[in-house]
Amino acid sequence: MTRTTPIKVITANALLEGDVVWLSHDGNWTRHLADALPFSDPEQADAALQQASQRHDEVVGCYLADMRLGASGLEPTHFREDFRRRGPSNYAHGKQSQG
Amino acid sequence: MYQYDDFDRTFIAERNRQFRAQVERRIDGSLTEEEFRPLRLMNGLYLQLHAYMLRVAIPYGTLSSAQLRQLAMIATRWDKGYGHFTTRQNIQYNWPRLNDVPDILDALAEVGLHAIQTSGNTIRNVTSDQFAAAAADEIEDPRPYAELIRQWSTDHPEFQFLPRKFKIAITGSPNDRAVTKAHDIGLRMVQRDGETGFEVIVGGGLGRTPMIGKVIRDFLPVADLLPYLEAIVGTYNLLGRRDNKYKARIKITVHENGLEKVRDLVEAQFAAIAPQFDADAAAAQLALLKQQFAAPELPPRDDAPYQAAYRSNAVFRAWADTNLHPHRVAGYSIVTISLKPHGGTPGDATDAQMQLVADLAEQYAQGEIRVSHEQNLVLPHVAQADLPALHAALRTAGLATANVGLASDIIACPGMDYCALATARSIPVAQQIAESVDSLKLEHDIGPLKIKISGCINACGHHHVGHIGILGLDRAGVENYQITLGGDGTEDAVIGTRTGPGFAYDQIVPAIERILQAYLVLRRDRAETFLQTYRRLGAEPFKTALYETEQVDAA
Ligand code: SF4
């Protein structure tokens, strides 16, 4: 079995809604993990995080989150990131209601 | 009912105006998050997992109908149609947008509410007995004192940057319903030779290092209340550790220095500052507050409608048996409205439910509502004659669950469904336990039981003082739940004892079911409660039930 390379994405919360966002391929912030820009090179990831963190009039609290490549694309490796992707489990609020 | 005075109104309006400008500067980019964060926290605005969260203080858990209606309006207009009542007797909105928050704060100010000092290393909202001024066992209403403390602590110039946050709870009853022994300062009203005073408890707290508070003064005359509190907080402000956040609470200060040393310092400071306090002014203010909090006139009422409904209506009877508490006035009851429908989120109320409760409080309960630290609502003064009609009205809105004090009346913090600090979820665990005991029709047979769940070591769900406590942790990237047994949050407060290795998310509910089944077998008879059985037998038989049949991970 080949070892899966750790993949990172840049994530944060949107300034106005506080909604979870990821840095996307086009350099904008996306509300869909599927559109997030994956980094497999840690140095590139760190450099991109540095830059993204400057965008403080768009987002709050940028950090790198671990992902793996699953059948349906990017999947969080930790349950916290999974909940951030999905929204709360008691109501269909947050991402679940936004389709 | 007590209304804020002009000083409060001016202060709140000024703070809201400042914060509106700060939010604008944050949104236009002239403030960075680093600069803005302490400002928003000072105004109760947190950033959680999926959104901002606004924490609104409900001083000593007392609301008027007008205030509750406004809370409902805010939920409709700026949130997702509900609010979450917390163990601090506060309400939290889980989905406000940053740019709406100044308007929300203005709407709160219209009814004398705010979100100041609901965060930061300050003296937080003073909590109290939700049955204050109504309970049959009460010496005196603690809320005039709580209000005096609120006025003293709000914007106190020396206590805005304490080593850590500081929580005060006060009760006027010997039966402690305010968990005073788990607070930085707990005040229990006592009487000595006909004089009213306070037993002062210091250094209690849950969280990472749970401790039961210790009595620093067994009788404090009422007149000495503020200077003595000032002496405690002042001593802590100097002595408390600022080098390590986990050792900064006063419980650690007391633990590391010893109660004797802390007491000596407090008493010395008290002696030094007491003469500077204007005792006459404080006494006059207290007298004024007592007038404003004066208990409502409760005329005698014929309780025949209550007796008739109790005899003929089994659903009403079940509710009356669990959700009513004795009132000091004959013919009246204290009603607890359960915010724990089986399978629901503990402590959540929809806007429509809040509206209805506000209306019913006006109709049947002197326009007063309380929030309990157990995340329920309370109507403190209801004539028993009105109970059948009240119950029927509550039923139409899903507010008549007959489970107060039972297994499904669970305290659960927001956990990882909302809270940025969480290490695991707590809400779905509470939901599943409640559904389980409901489907097995077990809870009325089990009787009094307090299950409390926290989603991390900060223990907002009070799990240490639950008869059954559940703590959600992250064990190597998987949710894992530790169980403690035998905790107690009353005047006999005890920290629960860990049973052993934790359980995975899909194993925690079956584990709780095994504890409950074990209790039903082990108890002497129906009169012996879970806690009594546990105290008689210890943890062993429960551990056997928990672990013998089960393959557990070695946590
Ligand atoms: S106990 Fe932890 S998870 Fe629960 S509300 Fe408090 S900080 Fe959040």
PDB file of all heavy atoms in Angstrom, chain A residues 13 15-20 56 60 78-80 83 87 89-91, chain B residues 26 49-50 52 97-98 345 348 417-418 420 423 425 428 474 477 479:
ATOM      1  N   ASN A  13     -12.767  31.620   8.834  1.00  0.00           N
ATOM      2  CA  ASN A  13     -14.176  31.983   8.915  1.00  0.00           C
ATOM      3  C   ASN A  13     -14.372  33.327   8.215  1.00  0.00           C
ATOM      4  O   ASN A  13     -13.540  34.227   8.359  1.00  0.00           O
ATOM      5  CB  ASN A  13     -14.628  32.095  10.373  1.00  0.00           C
ATOM      6  CG  ASN A  13     -14.637  30.746  11.079  1.00  0.00           C
ATOM      7  OD1 ASN A  13     -13.590  30.221  11.451  1.00  0.00           O
ATOM      8  ND2 ASN A  13     -15.809  30.173  11.245  1.00  0.00           N
ATOM      9  N   LEU A  15     -15.532  36.995   7.392  1.00  0.00           N
ATOM     10  CA  LEU A  15     -15.594  38.111   8.340  1.00  0.00           C
ATOM     11  C   LEU A  15     -17.019  38.449   8.759  1.00  0.00           C
ATOM     12  O   LEU A  15     -17.295  38.636   9.944  1.00  0.00           O
ATOM     13  CB  LEU A  15     -14.927  39.351   7.728  1.00  0.00           C
ATOM     14  CG  LEU A  15     -15.038  40.619   8.579  1.00  0.00           C
ATOM     15  CD1 LEU A  15     -14.333  40.459   9.914  1.00  0.00           C
ATOM     16  CD2 LEU A  15     -14.472  41.817   7.824  1.00  0.00           C
ATOM     17  N   LEU A  16     -17.947  38.529   7.825  1.00  0.00           N
ATOM     18  CA  LEU A  16     -19.293  38.995   8.170  1.00  0.00           C
ATOM     19  C   LEU A  16     -20.158  37.897   8.777  1.00  0.00           C
ATOM     20  O   LEU A  16     -20.774  38.091   9.825  1.00  0.00           O
ATOM     21  CB  LEU A  16     -20.003  39.565   6.938  1.00  0.00           C
ATOM     22  CG  LEU A  16     -19.493  40.903   6.438  1.00  0.00           C
ATOM     23  CD1 LEU A  16     -20.410  41.443   5.353  1.00  0.00           C
ATOM     24  CD2 LEU A  16     -19.380  41.917   7.573  1.00  0.00           C
ATOM     25  N   GLU A  17     -20.207  36.728   8.132  1.00  0.00           N
ATOM     26  CA  GLU A  17     -21.107  35.668   8.615  1.00  0.00           C
ATOM     27  C   GLU A  17     -20.431  34.759   9.628  1.00  0.00           C
ATOM     28  O   GLU A  17     -21.104  34.043  10.359  1.00  0.00           O
ATOM     29  CB  GLU A  17     -21.595  34.782   7.463  1.00  0.00           C
ATOM     30  CG  GLU A  17     -22.451  35.480   6.443  1.00  0.00           C
ATOM     31  CD  GLU A  17     -21.616  36.157   5.391  1.00  0.00           C
ATOM     32  OE1 GLU A  17     -20.370  36.069   5.457  1.00  0.00           O
ATOM     33  OE2 GLU A  17     -22.203  36.804   4.497  1.00  0.00           O
ATOM     34  N   GLY A  18     -19.111  34.715   9.618  1.00  0.00           N
ATOM     35  CA  GLY A  18     -18.404  33.758  10.459  1.00  0.00           C
ATOM     36  C   GLY A  18     -18.433  32.357   9.879  1.00  0.00           C
ATOM     37  O   GLY A  18     -17.979  31.397  10.496  1.00  0.00           O
ATOM     38  N   ASP A  19     -18.982  32.251   8.685  1.00  0.00           N
ATOM     39  CA  ASP A  19     -19.148  30.983   7.997  1.00  0.00           C
ATOM     40  C   ASP A  19     -17.775  30.376   7.642  1.00  0.00           C
ATOM     41  O   ASP A  19     -16.834  31.106   7.369  1.00  0.00           O
ATOM     42  CB  ASP A  19     -19.925  31.306   6.712  1.00  0.00           C
ATOM     43  CG  ASP A  19     -20.489  30.085   6.080  1.00  0.00           C
ATOM     44  OD1 ASP A  19     -20.409  29.006   6.689  1.00  0.00           O
ATOM     45  OD2 ASP A  19     -21.007  30.217   4.950  1.00  0.00           O
ATOM     46  N   VAL A  20     -17.706  29.036   7.611  1.00  0.00           N
ATOM     47  CA  VAL A  20     -16.439  28.378   7.273  1.00  0.00           C
ATOM     48  C   VAL A  20     -16.147  28.551   5.784  1.00  0.00           C
ATOM     49  O   VAL A  20     -17.017  28.323   4.938  1.00  0.00           O
ATOM     50  CB  VAL A  20     -16.509  26.877   7.626  1.00  0.00           C
ATOM     51  CG1 VAL A  20     -15.253  26.163   7.151  1.00  0.00           C
ATOM     52  CG2 VAL A  20     -16.697  26.698   9.125  1.00  0.00           C
ATOM     53  N   HIS A  56      -7.229  40.283   6.168  1.00  0.00           N
ATOM     54  CA  HIS A  56      -8.039  40.338   7.387  1.00  0.00           C
ATOM     55  C   HIS A  56      -9.331  41.099   7.220  1.00  0.00           C
ATOM     56  O   HIS A  56     -10.163  41.121   8.109  1.00  0.00           O
ATOM     57  CB  HIS A  56      -7.212  40.884   8.557  1.00  0.00           C
ATOM     58  CG  HIS A  56      -6.641  42.229   8.311  1.00  0.00           C
ATOM     59  ND1 HIS A  56      -7.401  43.353   8.374  1.00  0.00           N
ATOM     60  CD2 HIS A  56      -5.389  42.627   7.975  1.00  0.00           C
ATOM     61  CE1 HIS A  56      -6.634  44.403   8.088  1.00  0.00           C
ATOM     62  NE2 HIS A  56      -5.426  43.983   7.839  1.00  0.00           N
ATOM     63  N   VAL A  60     -11.323  35.610   9.076  1.00  0.00           N
ATOM     64  CA  VAL A  60     -10.788  35.588  10.438  1.00  0.00           C
ATOM     65  C   VAL A  60     -10.164  34.217  10.700  1.00  0.00           C
ATOM     66  O   VAL A  60     -10.743  33.193  10.340  1.00  0.00           O
ATOM     67  CB  VAL A  60     -11.925  35.801  11.469  1.00  0.00           C
ATOM     68  CG1 VAL A  60     -11.363  35.838  12.884  1.00  0.00           C
ATOM     69  CG2 VAL A  60     -12.716  37.061  11.172  1.00  0.00           C
ATOM     70  N   HIS A  78      -9.770  14.892  10.250  1.00  0.00           N
ATOM     71  CA  HIS A  78     -10.194  14.989  11.649  1.00  0.00           C
ATOM     72  C   HIS A  78     -11.666  15.364  11.736  1.00  0.00           C
ATOM     73  O   HIS A  78     -12.166  16.124  10.911  1.00  0.00           O
ATOM     74  CB  HIS A  78      -9.350  16.033  12.387  1.00  0.00           C
ATOM     75  CG  HIS A  78      -9.528  16.003  13.869  1.00  0.00           C
ATOM     76  ND1 HIS A  78     -10.575  16.643  14.496  1.00  0.00           N
ATOM     77  CD2 HIS A  78      -8.827  15.379  14.849  1.00  0.00           C
ATOM     78  CE1 HIS A  78     -10.503  16.428  15.815  1.00  0.00           C
ATOM     79  NE2 HIS A  78      -9.443  15.659  16.044  1.00  0.00           N
ATOM     80  N   PHE A  79     -12.338  14.825  12.773  1.00  0.00           N
ATOM     81  CA  PHE A  79     -13.788  15.051  12.847  1.00  0.00           C
ATOM     82  C   PHE A  79     -14.163  16.516  13.024  1.00  0.00           C
ATOM     83  O   PHE A  79     -15.214  16.962  12.593  1.00  0.00           O
ATOM     84  CB  PHE A  79     -14.436  14.169  13.922  1.00  0.00           C
ATOM     85  CG  PHE A  79     -13.956  14.380  15.339  1.00  0.00           C
ATOM     86  CD1 PHE A  79     -14.600  15.285  16.169  1.00  0.00           C
ATOM     87  CD2 PHE A  79     -12.893  13.646  15.854  1.00  0.00           C
ATOM     88  CE1 PHE A  79     -14.189  15.465  17.484  1.00  0.00           C
ATOM     89  CE2 PHE A  79     -12.472  13.825  17.164  1.00  0.00           C
ATOM     90  CZ  PHE A  79     -13.114  14.737  17.981  1.00  0.00           C
ATOM     91  N   ARG A  80     -13.261  17.292  13.634  1.00  0.00           N
ATOM     92  CA  ARG A  80     -13.590  18.708  13.804  1.00  0.00           C
ATOM     93  C   ARG A  80     -13.753  19.394  12.442  1.00  0.00           C
ATOM     94  O   ARG A  80     -14.691  20.169  12.221  1.00  0.00           O
ATOM     95  CB  ARG A  80     -12.483  19.395  14.605  1.00  0.00           C
ATOM     96  CG  ARG A  80     -12.788  20.835  14.976  1.00  0.00           C
ATOM     97  CD  ARG A  80     -11.665  21.383  15.848  1.00  0.00           C
ATOM     98  NE  ARG A  80     -12.023  22.615  16.523  1.00  0.00           N
ATOM     99  CZ  ARG A  80     -11.852  23.823  16.014  1.00  0.00           C
ATOM    100  NH1 ARG A  80     -11.335  23.976  14.796  1.00  0.00           N
ATOM    101  NH2 ARG A  80     -12.196  24.890  16.708  1.00  0.00           N
ATOM    102  N   PHE A  83     -17.018  18.422  10.917  1.00  0.00           N
ATOM    103  CA  PHE A  83     -18.167  19.196  11.408  1.00  0.00           C
ATOM    104  C   PHE A  83     -18.151  20.610  10.832  1.00  0.00           C
ATOM    105  O   PHE A  83     -19.199  21.173  10.534  1.00  0.00           O
ATOM    106  CB  PHE A  83     -18.167  19.274  12.942  1.00  0.00           C
ATOM    107  CG  PHE A  83     -18.368  17.946  13.608  1.00  0.00           C
ATOM    108  CD1 PHE A  83     -17.658  17.609  14.752  1.00  0.00           C
ATOM    109  CD2 PHE A  83     -19.268  17.029  13.098  1.00  0.00           C
ATOM    110  CE1 PHE A  83     -17.827  16.387  15.366  1.00  0.00           C
ATOM    111  CE2 PHE A  83     -19.455  15.796  13.711  1.00  0.00           C
ATOM    112  CZ  PHE A  83     -18.726  15.476  14.842  1.00  0.00           C
ATOM    113  N   GLY A  87     -21.608  21.533   9.266  1.00  0.00           N
ATOM    114  CA  GLY A  87     -22.548  22.295  10.097  1.00  0.00           C
ATOM    115  C   GLY A  87     -22.957  21.460  11.292  1.00  0.00           C
ATOM    116  O   GLY A  87     -22.548  20.310  11.423  1.00  0.00           O
ATOM    117  N   SER A  89     -24.914  19.155  14.123  1.00  0.00           N
ATOM    118  CA  SER A  89     -25.661  17.911  13.914  1.00  0.00           C
ATOM    119  C   SER A  89     -27.087  17.975  14.436  1.00  0.00           C
ATOM    120  O   SER A  89     -27.882  17.104  14.142  1.00  0.00           O
ATOM    121  CB  SER A  89     -24.910  16.712  14.514  1.00  0.00           C
ATOM    122  OG  SER A  89     -24.504  16.966  15.839  1.00  0.00           O
ATOM    123  N   ASN A  90     -27.446  19.029  15.182  1.00  0.00           N
ATOM    124  CA  ASN A  90     -28.813  19.044  15.732  1.00  0.00           C
ATOM    125  C   ASN A  90     -29.828  19.748  14.842  1.00  0.00           C
ATOM    126  O   ASN A  90     -31.024  19.529  14.992  1.00  0.00           O
ATOM    127  CB  ASN A  90     -28.830  19.657  17.145  1.00  0.00           C
ATOM    128  CG  ASN A  90     -28.275  21.058  17.194  1.00  0.00           C
ATOM    129  OD1 ASN A  90     -27.468  21.440  16.358  1.00  0.00           O
ATOM    130  ND2 ASN A  90     -28.709  21.836  18.169  1.00  0.00           N
ATOM    131  N   TYR A  91     -29.389  20.610  13.963  1.00  0.00           N
ATOM    132  CA  TYR A  91     -30.303  21.256  13.021  1.00  0.00           C
ATOM    133  C   TYR A  91     -29.643  21.270  11.643  1.00  0.00           C
ATOM    134  O   TYR A  91     -28.423  21.283  11.548  1.00  0.00           O
ATOM    135  CB  TYR A  91     -30.577  22.722  13.395  1.00  0.00           C
ATOM    136  CG  TYR A  91     -31.154  22.952  14.761  1.00  0.00           C
ATOM    137  CD1 TYR A  91     -30.444  23.654  15.730  1.00  0.00           C
ATOM    138  CD2 TYR A  91     -32.429  22.486  15.090  1.00  0.00           C
ATOM    139  CE1 TYR A  91     -30.973  23.884  16.984  1.00  0.00           C
ATOM    140  CE2 TYR A  91     -32.962  22.715  16.351  1.00  0.00           C
ATOM    141  CZ  TYR A  91     -32.230  23.410  17.296  1.00  0.00           C
ATOM    142  OH  TYR A  91     -32.754  23.633  18.536  1.00  0.00           O
TER     143      TYR A  91
ATOM    144  N   ARG B  26     -13.881  47.567  11.815  1.00  0.00           N
ATOM    145  CA  ARG B  26     -13.430  46.205  11.523  1.00  0.00           C
ATOM    146  C   ARG B  26     -13.826  45.819  10.103  1.00  0.00           C
ATOM    147  O   ARG B  26     -13.038  45.252   9.344  1.00  0.00           O
ATOM    148  CB  ARG B  26     -14.055  45.215  12.532  1.00  0.00           C
ATOM    149  CG  ARG B  26     -13.735  43.742  12.244  1.00  0.00           C
ATOM    150  CD  ARG B  26     -12.273  43.438  12.509  1.00  0.00           C
ATOM    151  NE  ARG B  26     -11.904  42.068  12.141  1.00  0.00           N
ATOM    152  CZ  ARG B  26     -11.307  41.740  10.998  1.00  0.00           C
ATOM    153  NH1 ARG B  26     -11.000  42.660  10.092  1.00  0.00           N
ATOM    154  NH2 ARG B  26     -10.997  40.482  10.743  1.00  0.00           N
ATOM    155  N   LEU B  49     -17.514  27.803  15.719  1.00  0.00           N
ATOM    156  CA  LEU B  49     -17.127  26.951  14.593  1.00  0.00           C
ATOM    157  C   LEU B  49     -17.730  27.414  13.275  1.00  0.00           C
ATOM    158  O   LEU B  49     -17.052  27.474  12.259  1.00  0.00           O
ATOM    159  CB  LEU B  49     -17.590  25.512  14.844  1.00  0.00           C
ATOM    160  CG  LEU B  49     -16.708  24.617  15.697  1.00  0.00           C
ATOM    161  CD1 LEU B  49     -17.267  23.200  15.666  1.00  0.00           C
ATOM    162  CD2 LEU B  49     -15.269  24.610  15.208  1.00  0.00           C
ATOM    163  N   HIS B  50     -19.027  27.709  13.282  1.00  0.00           N
ATOM    164  CA  HIS B  50     -19.722  27.977  12.015  1.00  0.00           C
ATOM    165  C   HIS B  50     -20.173  29.411  11.867  1.00  0.00           C
ATOM    166  O   HIS B  50     -20.701  29.780  10.828  1.00  0.00           O
ATOM    167  CB  HIS B  50     -20.980  27.102  11.896  1.00  0.00           C
ATOM    168  CG  HIS B  50     -20.768  25.681  12.260  1.00  0.00           C
ATOM    169  ND1 HIS B  50     -20.026  24.833  11.482  1.00  0.00           N
ATOM    170  CD2 HIS B  50     -21.193  24.958  13.313  1.00  0.00           C
ATOM    171  CE1 HIS B  50     -20.006  23.632  12.060  1.00  0.00           C
ATOM    172  NE2 HIS B  50     -20.702  23.693  13.172  1.00  0.00           N
ATOM    173  N   TYR B  52     -20.568  33.561  14.208  1.00  0.00           N
ATOM    174  CA  TYR B  52     -20.386  34.311  15.443  1.00  0.00           C
ATOM    175  C   TYR B  52     -21.419  33.825  16.450  1.00  0.00           C
ATOM    176  O   TYR B  52     -22.429  33.212  16.092  1.00  0.00           O
ATOM    177  CB  TYR B  52     -20.592  35.810  15.207  1.00  0.00           C
ATOM    178  CG  TYR B  52     -19.466  36.437  14.413  1.00  0.00           C
ATOM    179  CD1 TYR B  52     -19.565  36.588  13.036  1.00  0.00           C
ATOM    180  CD2 TYR B  52     -18.313  36.868  15.046  1.00  0.00           C
ATOM    181  CE1 TYR B  52     -18.536  37.152  12.305  1.00  0.00           C
ATOM    182  CE2 TYR B  52     -17.274  37.439  14.329  1.00  0.00           C
ATOM    183  CZ  TYR B  52     -17.387  37.576  12.961  1.00  0.00           C
ATOM    184  OH  TYR B  52     -16.358  38.136  12.243  1.00  0.00           O
ATOM    185  N   ARG B  97     -24.912  37.826  12.280  1.00  0.00           N
ATOM    186  CA  ARG B  97     -23.899  38.358  11.355  1.00  0.00           C
ATOM    187  C   ARG B  97     -23.228  39.551  12.026  1.00  0.00           C
ATOM    188  O   ARG B  97     -23.886  40.338  12.705  1.00  0.00           O
ATOM    189  CB  ARG B  97     -24.550  38.795  10.043  1.00  0.00           C
ATOM    190  CG  ARG B  97     -25.083  37.659   9.201  1.00  0.00           C
ATOM    191  CD  ARG B  97     -26.031  38.204   8.140  1.00  0.00           C
ATOM    192  NE  ARG B  97     -25.395  39.285   7.389  1.00  0.00           N
ATOM    193  CZ  ARG B  97     -24.873  39.125   6.163  1.00  0.00           C
ATOM    194  NH1 ARG B  97     -24.919  37.955   5.570  1.00  0.00           N
ATOM    195  NH2 ARG B  97     -24.304  40.147   5.558  1.00  0.00           N
ATOM    196  N   LEU B  98     -21.940  39.672  11.771  1.00  0.00           N
ATOM    197  CA  LEU B  98     -21.173  40.730  12.438  1.00  0.00           C
ATOM    198  C   LEU B  98     -21.824  42.104  12.252  1.00  0.00           C
ATOM    199  O   LEU B  98     -21.953  42.878  13.197  1.00  0.00           O
ATOM    200  CB  LEU B  98     -19.735  40.727  11.904  1.00  0.00           C
ATOM    201  CG  LEU B  98     -18.812  41.816  12.442  1.00  0.00           C
ATOM    202  CD1 LEU B  98     -18.676  41.721  13.957  1.00  0.00           C
ATOM    203  CD2 LEU B  98     -17.430  41.729  11.771  1.00  0.00           C
ATOM    204  N   THR B 345     -32.716  19.708  21.592  1.00  0.00           N
ATOM    205  CA  THR B 345     -31.441  20.251  22.058  1.00  0.00           C
ATOM    206  C   THR B 345     -31.639  20.893  23.427  1.00  0.00           C
ATOM    207  O   THR B 345     -32.424  21.831  23.543  1.00  0.00           O
ATOM    208  CB  THR B 345     -30.920  21.306  21.069  1.00  0.00           C
ATOM    209  OG1 THR B 345     -30.797  20.699  19.780  1.00  0.00           O
ATOM    210  CG2 THR B 345     -29.569  21.847  21.523  1.00  0.00           C
ATOM    211  N   ASP B 348     -32.597  24.893  24.192  1.00  0.00           N
ATOM    212  CA  ASP B 348     -33.023  25.695  23.049  1.00  0.00           C
ATOM    213  C   ASP B 348     -34.501  26.035  23.148  1.00  0.00           C
ATOM    214  O   ASP B 348     -35.315  25.199  23.523  1.00  0.00           O
ATOM    215  CB  ASP B 348     -32.788  24.935  21.729  1.00  0.00           C
ATOM    216  CG  ASP B 348     -31.354  25.044  21.259  1.00  0.00           C
ATOM    217  OD1 ASP B 348     -30.512  25.558  22.035  1.00  0.00           O
ATOM    218  OD2 ASP B 348     -31.070  24.617  20.121  1.00  0.00           O
ATOM    219  N   ASP B 417     -20.803  20.872  18.191  1.00  0.00           N
ATOM    220  CA  ASP B 417     -21.728  21.336  17.165  1.00  0.00           C
ATOM    221  C   ASP B 417     -21.640  22.841  16.980  1.00  0.00           C
ATOM    222  O   ASP B 417     -22.074  23.360  15.959  1.00  0.00           O
ATOM    223  CB  ASP B 417     -23.150  20.895  17.501  1.00  0.00           C
ATOM    224  CG  ASP B 417     -23.290  19.396  17.274  1.00  0.00           C
ATOM    225  OD1 ASP B 417     -23.012  18.966  16.140  1.00  0.00           O
ATOM    226  OD2 ASP B 417     -23.628  18.670  18.219  1.00  0.00           O
ATOM    227  N   TYR B 418     -21.111  23.547  17.973  1.00  0.00           N
ATOM    228  CA  TYR B 418     -20.997  25.006  17.873  1.00  0.00           C
ATOM    229  C   TYR B 418     -19.677  25.541  18.405  1.00  0.00           C
ATOM    230  O   TYR B 418     -19.104  26.459  17.849  1.00  0.00           O
ATOM    231  CB  TYR B 418     -22.150  25.690  18.632  1.00  0.00           C
ATOM    232  CG  TYR B 418     -23.481  25.341  18.046  1.00  0.00           C
ATOM    233  CD1 TYR B 418     -24.188  24.242  18.512  1.00  0.00           C
ATOM    234  CD2 TYR B 418     -23.988  26.064  16.969  1.00  0.00           C
ATOM    235  CE1 TYR B 418     -25.388  23.872  17.927  1.00  0.00           C
ATOM    236  CE2 TYR B 418     -25.188  25.703  16.375  1.00  0.00           C
ATOM    237  CZ  TYR B 418     -25.884  24.605  16.860  1.00  0.00           C
ATOM    238  OH  TYR B 418     -27.058  24.231  16.271  1.00  0.00           O
ATOM    239  N   ALA B 420     -16.054  26.518  19.537  1.00  0.00           N
ATOM    240  CA  ALA B 420     -14.729  26.433  18.933  1.00  0.00           C
ATOM    241  C   ALA B 420     -13.724  25.734  19.846  1.00  0.00           C
ATOM    242  O   ALA B 420     -12.687  25.273  19.393  1.00  0.00           O
ATOM    243  CB  ALA B 420     -14.233  27.833  18.585  1.00  0.00           C
ATOM    244  N   THR B 423     -13.872  19.516  22.274  1.00  0.00           N
ATOM    245  CA  THR B 423     -13.102  18.366  21.812  1.00  0.00           C
ATOM    246  C   THR B 423     -14.019  17.234  21.351  1.00  0.00           C
ATOM    247  O   THR B 423     -13.547  16.237  20.820  1.00  0.00           O
ATOM    248  CB  THR B 423     -12.167  17.864  22.923  1.00  0.00           C
ATOM    249  OG1 THR B 423     -12.874  17.863  24.174  1.00  0.00           O
ATOM    250  CG2 THR B 423     -10.953  18.769  23.066  1.00  0.00           C
ATOM    251  N   ARG B 425     -18.623  16.269  20.562  1.00  0.00           N
ATOM    252  CA  ARG B 425     -20.007  16.744  20.602  1.00  0.00           C
ATOM    253  C   ARG B 425     -20.656  16.395  21.936  1.00  0.00           C
ATOM    254  O   ARG B 425     -20.331  15.375  22.545  1.00  0.00           O
ATOM    255  CB  ARG B 425     -20.817  16.088  19.487  1.00  0.00           C
ATOM    256  CG  ARG B 425     -20.540  16.640  18.109  1.00  0.00           C
ATOM    257  CD  ARG B 425     -21.203  15.805  17.043  1.00  0.00           C
ATOM    258  NE  ARG B 425     -20.612  14.480  16.958  1.00  0.00           N
ATOM    259  CZ  ARG B 425     -21.074  13.501  16.181  1.00  0.00           C
ATOM    260  NH1 ARG B 425     -22.144  13.694  15.453  1.00  0.00           N
ATOM    261  NH2 ARG B 425     -20.472  12.332  16.158  1.00  0.00           N
ATOM    262  N   PRO B 428     -25.755  15.735  20.608  1.00  0.00           N
ATOM    263  CA  PRO B 428     -26.358  14.473  20.140  1.00  0.00           C
ATOM    264  C   PRO B 428     -26.316  13.367  21.196  1.00  0.00           C
ATOM    265  O   PRO B 428     -27.193  12.501  21.204  1.00  0.00           O
ATOM    266  CB  PRO B 428     -25.523  14.073  18.921  1.00  0.00           C
ATOM    267  CG  PRO B 428     -24.577  15.159  18.663  1.00  0.00           C
ATOM    268  CD  PRO B 428     -24.610  16.142  19.780  1.00  0.00           C
ATOM    269  N   ASP B 474     -11.137  14.312  22.748  1.00  0.00           N
ATOM    270  CA  ASP B 474     -10.572  13.900  21.472  1.00  0.00           C
ATOM    271  C   ASP B 474      -9.409  12.960  21.779  1.00  0.00           C
ATOM    272  O   ASP B 474      -8.376  13.392  22.269  1.00  0.00           O
ATOM    273  CB  ASP B 474     -10.096  15.156  20.734  1.00  0.00           C
ATOM    274  CG  ASP B 474      -9.346  14.837  19.453  1.00  0.00           C
ATOM    275  OD1 ASP B 474      -9.012  13.655  19.211  1.00  0.00           O
ATOM    276  OD2 ASP B 474      -9.080  15.790  18.690  1.00  0.00           O
ATOM    277  N   GLY B 477      -7.816  11.699  17.633  1.00  0.00           N
ATOM    278  CA  GLY B 477      -8.640  12.006  16.469  1.00  0.00           C
ATOM    279  C   GLY B 477      -9.990  11.323  16.442  1.00  0.00           C
ATOM    280  O   GLY B 477     -10.656  11.302  15.413  1.00  0.00           O
ATOM    281  N   GLU B 479     -13.738  10.880  18.794  1.00  0.00           N
ATOM    282  CA  GLU B 479     -14.498  11.315  19.969  1.00  0.00           C
ATOM    283  C   GLU B 479     -14.546  10.193  21.000  1.00  0.00           C
ATOM    284  O   GLU B 479     -14.833   9.041  20.668  1.00  0.00           O
ATOM    285  CB  GLU B 479     -15.934  11.684  19.580  1.00  0.00           C
ATOM    286  CG  GLU B 479     -16.043  13.002  18.844  1.00  0.00           C
ATOM    287  CD  GLU B 479     -17.418  13.192  18.245  1.00  0.00           C
ATOM    288  OE1 GLU B 479     -17.786  12.406  17.350  1.00  0.00           O
ATOM    289  OE2 GLU B 479     -18.125  14.112  18.670  1.00  0.00           O
TER     290      GLU B 479
END
